[in-house]
Amino acid sequence: AQLGRSGGFVDSERFHIPLPGVLADAQGVLRMAGLSAMADDLELRMNRAAEQAVPLAGDLFKQAIAALSFDDVMAIYNGPDDAATQYLERTTGDTLEERMRPIIDEALADAGAVQVFDQLTSKVSSLPMLGSLSGTLDDHVLEQASGALFAFVASEEKAIRENPTQRTTELLRTVFGGG
Protein backbone atom coordinates (compact mmCIF):
# COMPACT_ATOMS: atom_id res chain seq x y z
CA ALA A 1 0.00 0.00 0.00
CA GLN A 2 2.81 2.44 0.77
CA LEU A 3 4.66 1.94 -2.50
CA GLY A 4 1.42 1.73 -4.49
CA ARG A 5 0.11 5.11 -3.42
CA SER A 6 0.74 8.30 -5.38
CA GLY A 7 4.29 9.29 -4.54
CA GLY A 8 5.20 5.82 -3.25
CA PHE A 9 8.08 5.56 -5.70
CA VAL A 10 8.33 9.14 -6.96
CA ASP A 11 8.88 10.65 -3.50
CA SER A 12 10.89 7.79 -2.00
CA GLU A 13 14.58 8.35 -1.44
CA ARG A 14 15.15 4.61 -1.13
CA PHE A 15 12.84 3.19 -3.80
CA HIS A 16 12.69 5.92 -6.45
CA ILE A 17 13.35 4.29 -9.82
CA PRO A 18 16.23 5.95 -11.68
CA LEU A 19 16.61 6.16 -15.42
CA PRO A 20 17.99 2.96 -16.90
CA GLY A 21 21.68 2.33 -17.59
CA VAL A 22 23.38 4.77 -19.87
CA LEU A 23 20.56 7.33 -19.46
CA ALA A 24 21.25 7.49 -15.72
CA ASP A 25 24.97 7.71 -16.40
CA ALA A 26 24.35 10.49 -18.90
CA GLN A 27 22.02 12.68 -16.82
CA GLY A 28 24.63 15.39 -16.43
CA VAL A 29 25.27 15.43 -20.17
CA LEU A 30 21.53 15.41 -20.83
CA ARG A 31 21.18 18.53 -18.68
CA MET A 32 23.95 20.28 -20.59
CA ALA A 33 22.34 19.25 -23.88
CA GLY A 34 19.00 20.74 -22.80
CA LEU A 35 17.34 17.35 -22.43
CA SER A 36 16.94 17.35 -18.65
CA ALA A 37 13.21 18.10 -18.75
CA MET A 38 12.67 15.13 -21.05
CA ALA A 39 14.75 12.87 -18.78
CA ASP A 40 12.99 14.08 -15.63
CA ASP A 41 9.60 13.54 -17.26
CA LEU A 42 10.55 10.00 -18.26
CA GLU A 43 11.73 9.23 -14.75
CA LEU A 44 8.44 10.52 -13.31
CA ARG A 45 6.42 8.38 -15.73
CA MET A 46 8.45 5.28 -14.86
CA ASN A 47 7.83 5.75 -11.15
CA ARG A 48 4.11 6.37 -11.66
CA ALA A 49 3.87 3.12 -13.65
CA ALA A 50 5.47 1.23 -10.76
CA GLU A 51 3.03 2.84 -8.32
CA GLN A 52 0.14 1.52 -10.40
CA ALA A 53 1.52 -2.03 -10.57
CA VAL A 54 2.68 -2.92 -7.05
CA PRO A 55 -0.76 -3.10 -5.40
CA LEU A 56 -1.23 -6.45 -7.15
CA ALA A 57 1.13 -7.93 -4.58
CA GLY A 58 -1.41 -7.78 -1.76
CA ASP A 59 -3.68 -10.55 -3.02
CA LEU A 60 -0.76 -12.72 -4.10
CA PHE A 61 0.88 -12.34 -0.70
CA LYS A 62 -2.39 -13.30 1.04
CA GLN A 63 -2.65 -16.43 -1.12
CA ALA A 64 0.96 -17.38 -0.37
CA ILE A 65 0.42 -16.87 3.36
CA ALA A 66 -2.75 -18.99 3.26
CA ALA A 67 -0.74 -21.76 1.60
CA LEU A 68 1.99 -21.84 4.28
CA SER A 69 2.83 -25.32 5.50
CA PHE A 70 3.98 -26.04 9.04
CA ASP A 71 7.52 -26.52 7.69
CA ASP A 72 7.33 -23.12 5.96
CA VAL A 73 6.22 -21.48 9.20
CA MET A 74 9.05 -23.08 11.16
CA ALA A 75 11.61 -22.11 8.50
CA ILE A 76 10.38 -18.52 8.63
CA TYR A 77 10.31 -18.45 12.42
CA ASN A 78 13.82 -19.90 12.73
CA GLY A 79 15.18 -18.16 9.65
CA PRO A 80 17.01 -14.92 9.00
CA ASP A 81 15.48 -11.45 9.33
CA ASP A 82 14.04 -11.73 5.83
CA ALA A 83 12.90 -15.36 5.85
CA ALA A 84 9.23 -14.48 5.28
CA THR A 85 10.21 -12.12 2.48
CA GLN A 86 12.28 -14.88 0.88
CA TYR A 87 9.26 -17.17 1.09
CA LEU A 88 7.00 -14.54 -0.52
CA GLU A 89 9.51 -13.82 -3.27
CA ARG A 90 10.02 -17.51 -3.98
CA THR A 91 6.30 -18.31 -4.07
CA THR A 92 4.93 -15.15 -5.71
CA GLY A 93 7.80 -13.49 -7.58
CA ASP A 94 7.23 -14.93 -11.05
CA THR A 95 3.44 -14.57 -10.90
CA LEU A 96 3.75 -11.06 -9.53
CA GLU A 97 6.02 -9.96 -12.37
CA GLU A 98 3.74 -11.67 -14.89
CA ARG A 99 0.74 -9.73 -13.55
CA MET A 100 2.60 -6.44 -13.12
CA ARG A 101 4.02 -6.41 -16.67
CA PRO A 102 0.79 -5.51 -18.53
CA ILE A 103 0.02 -2.74 -16.04
CA ILE A 104 3.50 -1.28 -16.40
CA ASP A 105 3.42 -1.68 -20.19
CA GLU A 106 0.05 0.06 -20.42
CA ALA A 107 0.96 2.83 -17.98
CA LEU A 108 4.20 3.57 -19.83
CA ALA A 109 2.49 3.48 -23.23
CA ASP A 110 -0.47 5.62 -22.11
CA ALA A 111 1.85 8.19 -20.57
CA GLY A 112 3.97 8.39 -23.71
CA ALA A 113 7.01 7.19 -21.77
CA VAL A 114 8.06 4.70 -24.44
CA GLN A 115 8.23 7.45 -27.07
CA VAL A 116 10.19 9.71 -24.71
CA PHE A 117 12.52 6.81 -23.91
CA ASP A 118 13.09 6.14 -27.61
CA GLN A 119 13.78 9.83 -28.28
CA LEU A 120 16.22 10.08 -25.37
CA THR A 121 18.08 6.90 -26.24
CA SER A 122 18.34 8.06 -29.84
CA LYS A 123 19.82 11.38 -28.73
CA VAL A 124 22.14 9.77 -26.18
CA SER A 125 23.43 7.22 -28.67
CA SER A 126 24.51 10.09 -30.91
CA LEU A 127 26.58 11.64 -28.11
CA PRO A 128 30.21 10.49 -28.06
CA MET A 129 31.51 8.08 -25.42
CA LEU A 130 28.20 7.36 -23.71
CA GLY A 131 27.58 3.90 -25.06
CA SER A 132 24.29 2.26 -25.86
CA LEU A 133 21.37 1.10 -23.80
CA SER A 134 20.41 -2.55 -23.56
CA GLY A 135 17.02 -3.84 -22.49
CA THR A 136 13.65 -2.20 -22.60
CA LEU A 137 12.03 0.48 -20.50
CA ASP A 138 9.27 -1.81 -19.26
CA ASP A 139 11.82 -4.49 -18.24
CA HIS A 140 13.74 -1.87 -16.27
CA VAL A 141 10.65 -0.56 -14.48
CA LEU A 142 9.38 -4.08 -13.75
CA GLU A 143 12.73 -5.21 -12.33
CA GLN A 144 13.10 -2.07 -10.22
CA ALA A 145 9.50 -2.14 -8.95
CA SER A 146 9.63 -5.81 -8.03
CA GLY A 147 13.00 -5.42 -6.33
CA ALA A 148 11.78 -2.40 -4.38
CA LEU A 149 8.64 -4.21 -3.28
CA PHE A 150 10.56 -7.14 -1.81
CA ALA A 151 13.20 -4.85 -0.27
CA PHE A 152 10.41 -2.88 1.40
CA VAL A 153 8.77 -6.05 2.72
CA ALA A 154 12.15 -7.25 4.02
CA SER A 155 12.74 -4.00 5.90
CA GLU A 156 9.26 -4.21 7.45
CA GLU A 157 9.82 -7.85 8.39
CA LYS A 158 13.11 -6.99 10.07
CA ALA A 159 11.46 -4.17 12.02
CA ILE A 160 8.71 -6.53 13.20
CA ARG A 161 11.26 -9.10 14.33
CA GLU A 162 13.46 -6.58 16.14
CA ASN A 163 10.95 -4.17 17.64
CA PRO A 164 7.97 -5.41 19.63
CA THR A 165 6.08 -2.15 19.03
CA GLN A 166 5.96 -3.08 15.33
CA ARG A 167 3.91 -6.16 16.24
CA THR A 168 0.59 -4.42 15.80
CA THR A 169 -1.76 -7.36 15.31
CA GLU A 170 -2.62 -10.27 17.57
CA LEU A 171 -1.27 -12.68 14.94
CA LEU A 172 2.11 -10.93 14.79
CA ARG A 173 2.32 -10.79 18.59
CA THR A 174 1.55 -14.52 18.75
CA VAL A 175 4.06 -15.47 16.05
CA PHE A 176 6.92 -13.25 17.18
CA GLY A 177 6.17 -13.05 20.91
CA GLY A 178 5.22 -10.14 23.12
CA GLY A 179 1.60 -10.95 23.77
Side-chain angles (χ1 to χ4, degrees):
Q2 289 180 342
L3 290 174
R5 67 173 172 73
S6 180
F9 278 90
V10 170
D11 298 331
S12 173
E13 287 182 32
R14 182 172 175 200
F15 299 114
H16 182 90
I17 299 173
L19 291 173
V22 71
L23 291 180
D25 297 341
Q27 270 189 311
V29 174
L30 291 172
R31 292 197 195 301
M32 290 188 302
L35 300 172
S36 63
M38 188 182 280
D40 293 344
D41 183 53
L42 176 60
E43 199 166 335
L44 174 67
R45 293 173 194 214
M46 291 167 27
N47 282 274
R48 293 286 186 224
E51 291 166 2
Q52 291 177 34
V54 297
L56 291 173
D59 286 339
L60 288 174
F61 287 177
K62 287 176 190 173
Q63 291 169 10
I65 291 166
L68 279 166
S69 69
F70 180 75
D71 289 341
D72 292 328
V73 171
M74 292 310 297
I76 290 169
Y77 181 75
N78 293 316
D81 287 344
D82 68 342
T85 305
Q86 289 178 32
Y87 168 81
L88 289 173
E89 189 168 10
R90 185 177 65 254
T91 59
T92 67
D94 292 341
T95 303
L96 180 61
E97 287 190 3
E98 181 181 298
R99 292 185 184 174
M100 286 173 57
R101 180 174 295 284
I103 293 171
I104 289 172
D105 290 349
E106 184 177 336
L108 292 172
D110 288 351
V114 175
Q115 292 82 3
V116 172
F117 175 74
D118 290 343
Q119 290 171 357
L120 271 176
T121 55
S122 173
K123 292 179 190 293
V124 166
S125 67
S126 69
L127 298 172
M129 297 173 52
L130 286 179
S132 63
L133 187 64
S134 62
T136 64
L137 183 62
D138 49 349
D139 286 342
H140 174 72
V141 174
L142 180 61
E143 179 182 303
Q144 294 287 310
S146 177
L149 178 62
F150 287 112
F152 181 82
V153 170
S155 66
E156 291 296 304
E157 178 184 357
K158 184 177 182 195
I160 289 167
R161 288 176 182 268
E162 291 177 349
N163 184 354
T165 62
Q166 294 291 321
R167 300 174 191 160
T168 57
T169 68
E170 186 61 35
L171 176 61
L172 290 174
R173 285 190 293 276
T174 300
V175 170
F176 292 109

